[in-house]
Amino acid sequence: KIESLKVTVDFLKLPLGLKKPPLKEALAAVPGPGRPKPFGLERHKARRSDTMDNESQYSGYSYKSGHSRSSRKHRDRRDRHRSKSRDGSRGDKSVTIQAPGEPLLDNESTRGDERDDNWGETTTVVTGTSEHSISHDDITRITKDMEDSAHLDCSRHLGVMLAGALALLAFLTPLAFMLLPQLLWRDELEPCGTPCEGLFISVAFKLLILLLGSWALFFRRPKAFFPRVFVFRALLMVLVFLLVVSYWLFYGVRILDSRDRNYQGVVQYAVSLVDALLFVHYLAVVLLELRQLQPQFTLKAVRSADGASRFYNVGHLSIQRAAVWILENYYHDFPVYNPALLNLPKSVLSKKMSGFKVYSLGEENSTNNSTGQSRAVIAAAARRRDNSHNEFYYEEAEHERRVRKRRARLVVAVEEAFTHIKRLQEEDQKNPREIMDPREAAQAIFASMARAMQKYLRTTKQQPYHTMESILQHLEFCITHDMTPKAFLERYLTAGPTIQYHKDRWLAKQWTLVSEEPVTNGLKDGVVFVLKRQDFSLVVSTKKIPFFKLSEEFVDPKSHKFVMRLQSETSV
Amino acid sequence: QYSAVVSFSPCQQRIEIHKLRQGDNLILGFSIGGGIDQDPSQNPFSEDKTDKGIYVTRVTEGGPAEVAGLQIGDKIMQVNGWDMTMVTHDQARKRLTKRNEEVVRLLVTRQSLQKAVQQSMMS
């Protein structure tokens, strides 16, 4: 109990930003093997994160400082890794959206407040538990960046353990309350007949309900690793902890010390604790699940690279949770990011630059000169008649035409290819050598459409997404399920959402949340945050859904009357 | 003293319009409004707002109708002998635009005509 208390206290310091002492001492403890600069940088950054007024990219830090005991060695490894990978991403360990499998937290803990980090694996995972990596993401992550994740795993694991411990404590407490008098002073107890039995039954069922409720609410794999603690979970855990502690205090003083004889009273005391726990569970359901259901804000997510945008409705969420929500929807709504489609064709742009050359004839002040020069070039270029839009237009038209031509060829090729095979009917008598399984059938017809497919993919610049193997697999899939050629082609003719493509390549695990406000703040009208990847970012802005004033108007059905319309005029 | 009105009856005038050929069509050069299926209260030219007759709403400049003397606001009573006081708008149009007729003879009445007759009668 004392252990968990200590950890909870540490943890409490987290959201308040009082992380400085543990951080400093931890950093001091870490040996600095000749890399003072990165460390200094990190420390500086950590401090900034403490004040919570900057980009909240320091996901790891918040955890680490909270669990300074375990985090020291993790920090060591992490720092070393970070200094290695410092090439632009400024030490971001932000929202790692993986679905790390969380060890099933235990039962009871209704709200798992106690689990500092894993709010019962339900919603947001303040610390992800990356140890159960059941999902593919996790597996790939683990194989790829072991160093990066190892210490995170451990810290999250610790959090889970703590929360689990608190949950177990809360669950066993009522049982302990009821058992201790029986064990310690059985002879002195007053006999307690029917009321006690009734109470025993109710305790049993309530605990069972609590168990089922906790299982439903908390035993879920977390979706993401959040940079900051989830405030509601922290609140709930603290609440449970205080509840349990105060019950134990009273129990210890009033019942254990004085050896209360009234067993019924003791049992009722235990039942009241179970009731209180059930109510906390109810609070957890409301805070964690229900509050965000009613839509309050509209979020607009725009991809910076090519302008693809979507609108989403969300309820009251903190910025980090809204970020995860957006990412979940990003993977199935946004068309896949194709860097090849971004730029204007070279022929269009290159013409712009030819033209003016500015020579400087021996002027002293070079800085002035350069800006003056560039301004002159820009002004001259602006004045010059610019025909690049013409180029662009014709290029586009030409490209369109080419794509349509290739597409027509592809569609025809695929249609013809599909006519070559048909499903084996029972009554057909065919020689066994001619019977093929889907894979062979796919291979048989692939040859006739391969060329057209390849040309089409190349024209639409999609060839990196589709390997021959993937096309064959998709063809096999379509043949097995009796799909028409059109259904087969749907995947290639339009750029699908990211999640459709091969996981390893296109599913990013690491996203950085950049926000001016602390990420545990709730969404408000006008909040803007950015989710960054290496090559593009998602800019999300918030707007409040307006307040609607609905008024009623009654229309009598008999009031619908009509007359001929007035003059029409015809010229003859 | 009477001022003579050139017409068969004091309030009516006969107008003979020769259709003009324009491409494939024969046009008369004016527009009509009114009819028993139309709303008579919207008619700006009629004196009696329940009159559902056919009125001339526009006359093209230099067209055959203007040349023949048709004026805006005239009420058409007959076309080539066919009555136009109790027809629908579409029937009126059809009667005027028969493809095999090159000349239409209209019987029209005009408020100014009526007023002139009344004035002359009163004076």
Side-chain angles (χ1 to χ4, degrees):
Chain A
K1 183 174 75 178
I2 308 293
E3 286 290 294
S4 61
L5 225 161
K6 188 167 158 203
V7 171
T8 317
V9 168
D10 262 348
F11 168 76
L12 270 179
K13 283 198 201 147
L14 227 55
L16 303 177
L18 304 172
K19 300 194 292 272
K20 286 188 182 122
L23 191 60
K24 272 193 198 140
E25 84 188 57
L27 271 179
V30 169
R35 279 199 215 100
K37 197 167 161 226
F39 275 38
L41 260 176
E42 283 159 3
R43 181 186 301 176
H44 173 62
K45 279 199 177 163
R47 204 166 291 140
R48 279 198 297 157
S49 78
D50 282 353
T51 56
M52 285 213 250
D53 55 357
N54 256 324
E55 316 176 336
S56 57
Q57 298 177 336
Y58 324 106
S59 50
Y61 284 126
S62 49
Y63 295 100
K64 295 212 207 129
S65 49
H67 313 289
S68 47
R69 265 175 297 146
S70 58
S71 59
R72 234 164 269 163
K73 52 186 189 310
H74 310 311
R75 190 171 325 205
D76 203 349
R77 257 179 287 155
R78 184 189 192 78
D79 293 344
R80 236 173 265 139
H81 175 78
R82 180 152 320 110
S83 49
K84 257 185 266 175
S85 64
R86 183 173 300 284
D87 50 326
S89 55
R90 298 161 291 151
D92 46 350
K93 342 55 181 205
S94 38
V95 189
T96 345
I97 313 310
Q98 1 238 173
E102 228 183 308
L104 294 202
L105 269 218
D106 21 342
N107 32 354
E108 320 77 10
S109 135
T110 37
R111 350 54 239 187
D113 286 334
E114 328 185 46
R115 318 176 212 169
D116 284 326
D117 306 336
N118 339 309
W119 291 106
E121 322 89 16
T122 24
T123 43
T124 50
V125 151
V126 157
T127 47
T129 58
S130 20
E131 34 161 356
H132 273 212
S133 319
I134 299 177
S135 68
H136 289 262
D137 278 352
D138 266 319
I139 292 173
T140 44
R141 182 170 58 87
I142 282 181
T143 51
K144 278 183 195 166
D145 38 354
M146 280 288 278
E147 309 161 346
D148 199 14
S149 57
H151 56 280
L152 291 176
D153 289 358
C154 288
S155 67
R156 281 177 226 167
H157 187 42
L158 188 70
V160 177
M161 293 298 291
L162 290 170
L166 189 56
L168 198 61
L169 179 71
F171 190 75
L172 293 179
T173 302
L175 299 175
F177 285 174
M178 291 190 295
L179 285 177
L180 281 175
Q182 294 278 353
L183 295 174
L184 295 178
W185 59 91
R186 172 174 264 222
D187 317 320
E188 301 165 1
L189 282 179
E190 291 164 17
C192 154
T194 336
C196 271
E197 278 153 24
L199 289 172
F200 286 147
I201 294 176
S202 87
V203 165
F205 275 96
K206 281 179 188 164
L207 281 178
L208 180 67
I209 289 173
L210 204 57
L211 188 63
L212 285 177
S214 307
W215 171 82
L217 193 60
F218 298 116
F219 282 31
R220 285 185 249 166
R221 258 180 302 171
K223 310 184 273 203
F225 169 43
F226 288 83
R228 298 268 170 179
V229 67
F230 184 6
V231 174
F232 286 146
R233 285 196 186 190
L235 186 67
L236 287 171
M237 283 187 68
V238 165
L239 198 61
V240 163
F241 182 74
L242 288 178
L243 189 67
V244 170
V245 162
S246 56
Y247 262 81
W248 270 107
L249 280 175
F250 275 98
Y251 187 77
V253 166
R254 293 298 174 86
I255 297 180
L256 284 181
D257 279 353
S258 60
R259 301 213 151 198
D260 192 358
R261 300 250 187 103
N262 180 7
Y263 190 55
Q264 186 176 345
V266 175
V267 176
Q268 273 176 338
Y269 186 75
V271 173
S272 71
L273 173 60
V274 179
D275 288 340
L277 288 178
L278 274 173
F279 280 117
V280 178
H281 184 266
Y282 157 74
L283 185 66
V285 170
V286 165
L287 280 184
L288 298 182
E289 302 287 319
L290 290 185
R291 187 166 175 258
Q292 77 244 33
L293 288 181
Q294 199 182 43
Q296 296 278 346
F297 298 99
T298 300
L299 299 179
K300 177 175 181 182
V302 182
R303 187 157 60 187
S304 68
D306 57 357
S309 70
R310 293 284 185 283
F311 286 86
Y312 299 107
N313 274 3
V314 295
H316 278 294
L317 286 176
S318 61
I319 292 180
Q320 56 185 5
R321 286 169 81 193
V324 174
W325 168 276
I326 291 276
L327 285 176
E328 282 169 4
N329 285 311
Y330 168 81
Y331 279 101
H332 68 78
D333 277 343
F334 278 71
V336 67
Y337 168 66
N338 191 348
L341 291 176
L342 292 180
N343 310 311
L344 286 182
K346 286 231 165 61
S347 57
V348 176
L349 286 179
S350 59
K351 286 222 164 175
K352 275 184 135 325
M353 300 323 287
S354 69
F356 264 62
K357 289 205 180 186
V358 179
Y359 296 96
S360 72
L361 303 173
E363 282 144 50
E364 314 76 51
N365 198 350
S366 58
T367 54
N368 257 353
N369 193 21
S370 58
T371 55
Q373 242 185 25
S374 52
R375 263 194 235 122
V377 173
I378 292 171
R383 265 180 260 128
R384 197 169 54 104
R385 191 159 159 227
D386 184 5
N387 276 337
S388 59
H389 57 274
N390 241 357
E391 292 274 332
F392 181 54
Y393 169 71
Y394 285 114
E395 275 275 347
E396 283 259 290
E398 183 60 36
H399 179 74
E400 268 292 296
R401 208 176 60 83
R402 236 181 293 141
V403 166
R404 274 210 283 265
K405 204 164 58 156
R406 293 264 165 98
R407 181 199 159 115
R409 288 206 189 125
L410 174 65
V411 169
V412 166
V414 171
E415 294 259 350
E416 268 184 82
F418 269 67
T419 58
H420 294 318
I421 54 167
K422 72 175 175 113
R423 194 168 265 275
L424 176 70
Q425 307 296 331
E426 286 309 319
E427 53 276 8
D428 288 348
Q429 297 299 322
K430 287 279 185 211
N431 141 9
R433 266 187 313 150
E434 291 177 1
I435 298 180
M436 302 182 280
D437 66 1
R439 176 86 189 172
E440 290 162 8
Q443 278 164 339
I445 60 174
F446 180 65
S448 56
M449 66 167 87
R451 192 140 186 271
M453 173 73 82
Q454 189 190 44
K455 282 196 154 169
Y456 177 79
L457 290 179
R458 209 166 271 165
T459 313
T460 54
K461 302 205 181 73
Q462 277 181 309
Q463 76 273 20
Y465 301 107
H466 303 291
T467 61
M468 193 175 95
E469 183 55 37
S470 75
I471 301 177
L472 269 174
Q473 272 177 359
H474 187 238
L475 188 54
E476 185 189 333
F477 175 79
C478 291
I479 289 176
T480 315
H481 296 283
D482 289 328
M483 293 205 198
T484 59
K486 218 168 169 194
F488 165 69
L489 280 175
E490 144 304 306
R491 197 181 154 139
Y492 304 104
L493 293 181
T494 52
T498 314
I499 209 160
Q500 183 171 271
Y501 300 98
H502 192 242
K503 271 189 203 174
D504 280 351
R505 273 185 99 172
W506 309 113
L507 282 187
K509 298 157 297 211
Q510 195 86 7
W511 288 79
T512 308
L513 176 60
V514 177
S515 155
E516 287 160 17
E517 299 188 7
V519 294
T520 48
N521 274 9
L523 282 178
K524 280 194 283 282
D525 191 28
V527 162
V528 174
F529 57 93
V530 179
L531 286 160
K532 267 202 200 152
R533 286 271 305 152
Q534 281 109 7
D535 32 8
F536 64 92
S537 54
L538 276 176
V539 180
V540 181
S541 44
T542 319
K543 267 210 163 44
K544 197 164 166 42
I545 291 181
F547 179 74
F548 300 116
K549 290 197 195 132
L550 269 186
S551 56
E552 181 203 349
E553 188 180 323
F554 175 68
V555 174
D556 182 6
K558 287 199 248 188
S559 68
H560 296 301
K561 304 248 183 278
F562 293 89
V563 291
M564 285 302 294
R565 217 162 69 100
L566 98 109
Q567 304 287 9
S568 45
E569 192 185 344
T570 317
S571 59
V572 293
Chain B
Q1 273 219 0
Y2 289 2
S3 58
V5 175
V6 182
S7 65
F8 177 71
S9 82
C11 308
Q12 291 175 341
Q13 183 176 4
R14 287 194 186 279
I15 295 183
E16 187 176 296
I17 306 180
H18 296 262
K19 291 188 186 176
L20 178 66
R21 181 165 290 279
Q22 249 192 17
D24 210 16
N25 305 322
L26 286 166
I27 64 162
L28 288 156
F30 66 97
S31 298
I32 54 167
I36 54 176
D37 56 338
Q38 303 285 316
D39 183 2
S41 61
Q42 305 279 344
N43 189 343
F45 306 108
S46 59
E47 212 176 57
D48 175 13
K49 288 305 173 188
T50 58
D51 182 5
K52 293 189 173 186
I54 305 292
Y55 280 80
V56 175
T57 54
R58 207 162 38 91
V59 178
T60 346
E61 266 195 20
E66 191 185 22
V67 164
L70 193 66
Q71 287 179 18
I72 185 172
D74 287 354
K75 178 179 175 183
I76 302 177
M77 313 293 285
Q78 284 179 14
V79 171
N80 285 348
W82 293 97
D83 173 57
M84 298 290 262
T85 54
M86 279 286 148
V87 292
T88 66
H89 189 89
D90 209 41
Q91 284 170 342
R93 180 189 60 82
K94 282 183 184 158
R95 297 238 176 96
L96 283 165
T97 53
K98 284 201 161 28
R99 290 179 78 91
N100 50 4
E101 289 173 358
E102 288 227 356
V103 179
V104 287
R105 293 182 178 80
L106 309 178
L107 184 66
V108 303
T109 182
R110 198 174 287 161
Q111 280 185 19
S112 52
L113 264 181
Q114 290 169 341
K115 284 213 181 83
V117 167
Q118 279 162 9
Q119 279 169 6
S120 61
M121 276 183 161
M122 283 189 291
S123 65

